[in-house]
Amino acid sequence: QVQLVESGGGLVQAGDSLRLSCAASGRTLSTVYMGWFRQAPGKEREFVAAITWLGDRIDYANSAKGRFTISRDNAKNTLYLQMNSLKPEDTAVYYCAAGISSGGYIYWGQGTQVTVSS
């Protein structure tokens, strides 16, 4: 059982930065990897970035490469997504998720809204 709570979203202008946080609680040691997803109005949820527990492997969507950085503070059980050079197309609800070795992402947060104006 893992609970995830996102925070850090807000309204910003194009070119600004935001850092999203995802606080994990419960049996977090059962998770092998964590990731960020986003869903814009009228569109399907899409992958943004992921990181393993030890940080030995990191993956980014092409839209995130060079602008976003995923990191994890294991001591604080917190996942981060540093977003720089934000664009209007980054506007979406951002969700953090956790996965186990034998399955996909089975734990999800409620999401935090990120809105980027022109």
Side-chain angles (χ1 to χ4, degrees):
Q1 184 70 33
V2 176
Q3 295 80 44
L4 304 173
V5 180
E6 303 95 335
S7 63
L11 174 62
V12 298
Q13 298 184 60
D16 286 352
S17 298
L18 279 176
R19 188 180 75 161
L20 305 183
S21 298
C22 174
S25 61
R27 300 187 181 277
T28 58
L29 291 179
S30 65
T31 65
V32 177
Y33 52 90
M34 299 187 71
W36 288 97
F37 292 76
R38 67 186 184 186
Q39 186 168 23
K43 297 185 178 180
E44 296 183 355
R45 186 172 299 184
E46 65 175 352
F47 168 80
V48 177
I51 186 171
T52 58
W53 177 268
L54 296 177
D56 58 319
R57 182 170 181 174
I58 298 174
D59 294 302
Y60 293 99
N62 288 333
S63 60
K65 291 180 179 178
R67 298 188 301 124
F68 295 2
T69 302
I70 187 172
S71 61
R72 180 172 178 172
D73 188 331
N74 293 342
K76 297 180 179 179
N77 290 322
T78 301
L79 180 73
Y80 301 98
L81 183 67
Q82 178 67 46
M83 305 186 294
N84 299 325
S85 302
L86 284 164
K87 305 174 181 179
E89 51 262 45
D90 294 319
T91 296
V93 176
Y94 284 71
Y95 302 88
C96 72
I100 60 176
S101 61
S102 61
Y105 291 97
I106 61 174
Y107 303 109
W108 294 85
Q110 292 300 116
T112 184
Q113 177 70 49
V114 172
T115 303
V116 184
S117 63
S118 300

